[in-house]
């Protein structure tokens, strides 16, 4: 009888590898802080608040009661009109800057990015100061007997969204126009097509994927925005505003109607994305990236017209920011502007609102630190680990783009208000929601640069005896550091300007600058609101400048 001797290592379990552990932790992270709140919102929407019975009574109310159907119709109309307005501005601007020699093109692109990064609610209240019932332009024109429509209502909301979101269309379309094969356009010209026919029948179909992607982003952001319709609406209800009002009225119990409205908003966003993909799937849009277009010189009259259009667009888009900065330096006595200039508004915010300023920077920086760490690890899994889990993580990271902030905030309240995970009312819940909502910005930036790094560099380190963890920290991280920094700056820009989710979650101790600006605009405190907005704009501008200095693609890094 032969007795086999067992090796001392034979009975030991094999320890999971470094990247296996990281992948498991990444899945748990997204499951707890992204998927679970959304599932909670979905589950709560099927419970009746009064009886507690399971059913679809909440959805029946949303699609049958006039209060909700009016808000649904307004939301869809504002989303579609805001998207079309952005397209009508962005596509012609992209065509002009990509086909003609434009003096100051870099300035136009820079202003477009600044418009993109500024929070939309700042633009909303700046337009009130210009074209509101007591606005500067309104009062000036009334002196000459000219009555202009006020900025309030759906037209004003659509105008703000069109001027706020057109840079998505402009930047994406310009990039696509610069890469198409101009032989297609030349062939159409040789066949007798006019310039307009060439654009409609040849150029626009070739860049349609870029235009449609930008359009979907504009649509989703328009229906999800809370601050602009809340400030400019004056009786115009949208799904985001009634979701907030329903939540505040249901705070004593389960916010069933608020989460039901939230699910409708998610369904609209998902439906828009699926519709775009279905349209793109029907046709082939690829082409050889050779024989790229050459920018043309223009006749003096045409040059004046084209330059005037480009400069006019970016000036009007930047006008709210200019107005805010100018207003912040006007002398005030309380909420009243007294004439002349002064630093009264800045003195007031430093005296009365230091907590909001400090909280905004601390929460944004804390979220950015988490984003930098997690996005570096996640991007490595997505790019280097070719498996089902990596593909699923990549898909999951698209979800925060589609979920309105107010929806995610309600989900967080529903998920994290019970012991032992009761963190509602704390700074932690704000940091976590900002982190999860802005994580895709960091991952997108780091994955793009990681795809340019050859895996053989990391393989060489492993062959020399370095562990996977040591290889990642000593080799991969230094190589992808530019992407990490750019992603962190982009995340900081969006994090410090966050309103819709923090408006649900804040307390007196965790109030932030965007929330305080919204409150002060509602209360008519335009001087201090302008001062706080200028602080946000300055912080945003400095980050944009840093991204431009560090990124080779410059403005393309923002879309």
């Amino acid at each position: 009888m032969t007795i086999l001797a067992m090796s001392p290592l034979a009975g030991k379990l094999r320890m999971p590898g470094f990247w296996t552990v990281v992948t498991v932790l990444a899945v748990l992270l997204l499951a707890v802080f992204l998927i679970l709140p959304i599932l909670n919102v979905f589950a709560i929407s099927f419970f009746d608040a009064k009886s507690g019975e399971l059913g679809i009574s909440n959805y029946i109310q949303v699609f049958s009661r006039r209060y909700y159907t009016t808000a649904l119709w307004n939301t869809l109309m504002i989303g579609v009109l805001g998207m079309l307005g952005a397209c009508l501005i962005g596509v012609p601007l992209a065509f002009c800057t990509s086909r003609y020699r434009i003096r100051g093109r870099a300035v136009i692109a820079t202003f477009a990015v600044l418009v993109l990064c500024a929070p939309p609610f700042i633009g909303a209240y700046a337009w009130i100061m210009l074209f509101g019932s007591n606005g500067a332009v309104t009062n000036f024109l009334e002196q000459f007997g000219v009555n202009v429509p006020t900025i309030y209502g759906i037209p004003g909301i659509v105008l703000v969204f069109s001027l706020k979101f057109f840079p998505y269309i402009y930047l994406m379309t310009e990039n696509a126009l610069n890469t198409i094969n101009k032989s297609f356009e030349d062939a159409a010209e040789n066949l007798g097509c006019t310039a307009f026919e060439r654009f409609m029948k040849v150029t626009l179909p070739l860049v349609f994927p870029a235009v449609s992607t930008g359009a979907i982003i504009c649509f989703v952001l328009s229906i999800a925005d809370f601050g602009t319709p809340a400030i400019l609406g004056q009786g115009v209800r949208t799904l985001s505003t009634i979701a907030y009002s329903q939540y505040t009225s249901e705070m004593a119990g389960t916010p069933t109607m608020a989460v039901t409205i939230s699910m409708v908003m998610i369904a609209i966003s998902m439906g828009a994305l699926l519709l775009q993909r279905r349209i793109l799937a029907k046709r082939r849009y690829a082409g050889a990236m050779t024989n790229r277009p050459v920018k043309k010189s223009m006749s003096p009259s045409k040059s004046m017209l084209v330059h005037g259009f480009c400069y006019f667009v970016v000036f009007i888009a930047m006008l709210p920011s200019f107005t805010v900065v100018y207003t912040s330096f006007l002398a005030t006595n309380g909420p009243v502007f007294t004439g002349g200039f002064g630093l009264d508004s800045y003195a007031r915010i430093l005296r009365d609102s230091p907590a909001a300023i400090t909280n905004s920077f601390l929460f944004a920086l804390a979220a950015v630190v988490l984003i930098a760490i997690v996005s570096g690890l996640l991007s490595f899994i997505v790019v280097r680990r070719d498996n089902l889990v990596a593909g699923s993580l990549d898909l999951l990271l698209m979800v925060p783009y589609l979920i309105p902030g107010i929806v995610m905030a309600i989900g967080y309240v529903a998920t994290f208000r019970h012991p032992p995970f009761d963190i509602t009312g704390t700074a932690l819940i704000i940091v976590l929601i900002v982190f999860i909502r802005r994580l895709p910005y960091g991952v997108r930036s780091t994955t793009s640069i990681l795809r340019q790094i050859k895996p053989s560099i990391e393989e060489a380190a492993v062959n020399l005896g370095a562990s996977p963890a040591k290889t990642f920290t000593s080799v991969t991280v230094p190589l992808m550091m530019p992407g990490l920094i750019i992603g962190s700056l982009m995340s900081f820009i969006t994090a410090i300007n966050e309103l819709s989710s923090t408006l649900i979650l804040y307390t007196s101790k965790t109030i932030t600058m965007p929330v305080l600006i919204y409150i002060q605009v509602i209360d008519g405190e335009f001087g201090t609101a302008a001062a706080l907005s200028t602080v946000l704009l300055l912080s945003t501008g400095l980050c944009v400048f840093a991204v431009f200095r560090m990124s080779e693609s410059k403005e393309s890094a923002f879309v």
Side-chain angles (χ1 to χ4, degrees):
M1 183 176 178
T2 304
I3 299 176
L4 297 176
M6 290 184 64
S7 168
L9 297 177
K12 292 185 178 180
L13 293 174
R14 184 179 178 182
M15 294 296 292
F18 172 73
W19 287 112
T20 301
V21 174
V22 171
T23 302
V24 171
L25 292 177
V27 171
L28 289 175
L29 178 76
L30 293 179
V32 173
F33 295 111
L34 178 61
I35 303 303
L36 186 58
I38 296 173
L39 290 179
N40 266 335
V41 169
F42 180 72
I44 292 173
S45 68
F46 288 99
F47 284 91
D48 186 275
K50 296 179 180 179
S51 65
E53 295 179 355
L54 185 66
I56 59 171
S57 59
N58 296 327
Y59 288 96
I60 292 174
Q61 285 193 61
V62 169
F63 292 108
S64 61
R65 285 185 57 188
R66 185 178 179 83
Y67 176 79
Y68 298 111
T69 56
T70 301
L72 176 60
W73 171 249
N74 289 339
T75 301
L76 293 173
M77 183 165 55
I78 288 171
V80 172
L81 292 178
M83 176 187 69
L84 291 177
C87 289
L88 291 175
I89 298 172
V91 173
L93 183 62
F95 185 83
C96 291
T97 56
S98 63
R99 290 294 184 268
Y100 302 114
R101 299 181 189 275
I102 302 294
R103 296 184 184 90
R105 186 261 165 203
V107 175
I108 293 172
T110 302
F111 278 174
V113 171
L114 288 173
V115 170
L116 191 66
C117 295
F121 63 88
I122 289 180
Y125 103 80
W127 284 112
I128 289 178
M129 297 172 66
L130 292 171
F131 291 97
S133 301
N134 195 35
V137 177
T138 304
N139 291 336
F140 175 77
L141 293 177
E142 283 181 351
Q143 296 176 4
F144 302 94
V146 179
N147 294 320
V148 295
T150 62
I151 197 70
Y152 302 106
I154 290 179
I157 297 171
V158 171
L159 174 65
V160 171
F161 285 156
S162 300
L163 291 172
K164 164 64 183 175
F165 298 133
F166 84 87
Y168 284 109
I169 309 286
Y170 160 61
L171 295 173
M172 291 183 176
T173 305
E174 185 191 43
N175 185 55
L177 285 168
N178 286 330
T179 57
I180 66 174
N181 192 327
K182 79 181 187 72
S183 59
F184 295 115
E185 295 174 322
D186 293 340
E189 184 178 9
N190 294 333
L191 291 172
C193 290
T194 64
F196 182 74
E197 289 175 333
R198 288 198 308 272
F199 176 78
M200 295 301 297
K201 295 180 179 180
V202 178
T203 308
L204 188 58
L206 288 172
V207 298
F208 181 75
V211 175
S212 63
T213 300
I216 290 299
I217 293 174
C218 295
F219 176 80
V220 171
L221 292 176
S222 294
I223 67 172
D225 187 83
F226 168 80
T228 302
I231 293 172
L232 293 179
Q234 284 206 342
V236 175
R237 296 186 297 270
T238 64
L239 290 180
S240 60
T241 58
I242 66 171
Y244 175 73
S245 63
Q246 287 288 338
Y247 170 77
T248 55
S249 65
E250 296 175 313
M251 288 184 69
T254 304
T256 54
M257 290 308 301
V259 300
T260 304
I261 296 165
S262 301
M263 289 307 303
V264 174
M265 295 171 68
I266 294 175
I268 293 172
S269 300
M270 295 295 292
L273 181 63
L274 292 174
L275 177 62
Q276 185 229 11
R277 292 193 172 186
R278 183 176 178 84
I279 293 172
L280 293 180
K282 291 182 178 180
R283 293 185 60 183
R284 181 178 178 271
Y285 295 90
M289 294 178 63
T290 57
N291 194 22
R292 296 186 178 186
V294 178
K295 294 183 179 181
K296 303 175 183 178
S297 299
M298 297 173 283
S299 64
S301 58
K302 186 175 182 179
S303 176
M304 184 180 300
L305 184 64
V306 172
H307 278 84
F309 167 74
C310 294
Y311 295 152
F312 177 75
V313 166
V314 294
F315 173 76
I316 293 298
M318 282 295 295
L319 186 58
S321 298
F322 295 147
T323 303
V324 165
V325 175
Y326 172 80
T327 306
S328 71
F329 289 101
L330 294 178
T332 60
N333 182 14
V336 180
F337 293 107
T338 58
F341 295 92
L343 299 176
D344 309 282
S345 297
Y346 290 97
R348 284 188 64 193
I349 65 171
L350 291 176
R351 182 181 67 249
D352 301 335
S353 313
I357 299 172
T358 303
N359 288 342
S360 293
F361 282 99
L362 285 180
F363 296 166
L365 288 172
V368 165
V369 170
L370 290 174
I371 289 169
I373 297 171
V374 175
S375 63
L377 296 168
L378 277 176
S379 61
F380 190 94
I381 296 171
V382 170
V383 175
R384 295 286 193 258
R385 313 288 284 187
D386 187 16
N387 53 42
L388 180 62
V389 176
S392 300
L393 288 175
D394 193 23
L395 183 63
L396 274 178
L397 289 170
M398 286 293 295
V399 173
Y401 283 120
L402 300 173
I403 306 299
I406 198 166
V407 175
M408 187 67 76
I410 293 173
Y412 265 58
V413 172
T415 305
F416 301 113
R417 65 176 179 176
H418 302 293
F421 303 109
D422 185 5
I423 57 174
T424 53
T426 67
L428 178 60
I429 195 170
I430 294 179
V431 171
L432 287 174
I433 197 169
V434 172
F435 155 69
I436 206 70
R437 291 199 70 217
R438 306 310 175 189
L439 180 60
Y441 289 94
V443 175
R444 184 181 64 176
S445 179
T446 49
T447 51
S448 63
I449 198 168
L450 190 58
R451 295 184 196 279
Q452 302 173 22
I453 301 173
K454 293 183 178 180
S456 57
I457 301 175
E458 297 152 355
E459 293 168 358
V462 173
N463 292 334
L464 290 173
S467 66
K470 181 70 173 177
T471 300
F472 177 74
T473 55
S474 302
V475 178
T476 310
V477 170
L479 291 173
M480 62 191 243
M481 187 58 70
L484 281 172
I485 295 175
I486 292 172
S488 298
L489 290 169
M490 288 293 301
S491 301
F492 180 82
I493 290 171
T494 55
I496 200 171
N497 292 315
E498 176 66 28
L499 171 67
S500 57
S501 61
T502 51
L503 190 62
I504 293 284
L505 301 173
Y506 87 98
T507 64
S508 59
K509 294 182 179 180
T510 59
I511 192 170
T512 60
M513 281 193 286
V515 174
L516 186 56
I517 291 169
Y518 169 76
I519 294 172
Q520 290 181 337
V521 170
I522 297 299
D523 293 340
E525 295 275 1
F526 292 117
T528 50
L532 288 168
S533 299
T534 302
V535 174
L536 283 181
L537 291 172
L538 179 61
S539 304
T540 299
L542 290 174
C543 290
V544 169
F545 174 76
V547 172
F548 269 48
R549 294 281 293 179
M550 299 187 63
S551 175
E552 294 181 0
S553 57
K554 297 190 183 300
E555 62 268 11
S556 297
F558 293 87
V559 294

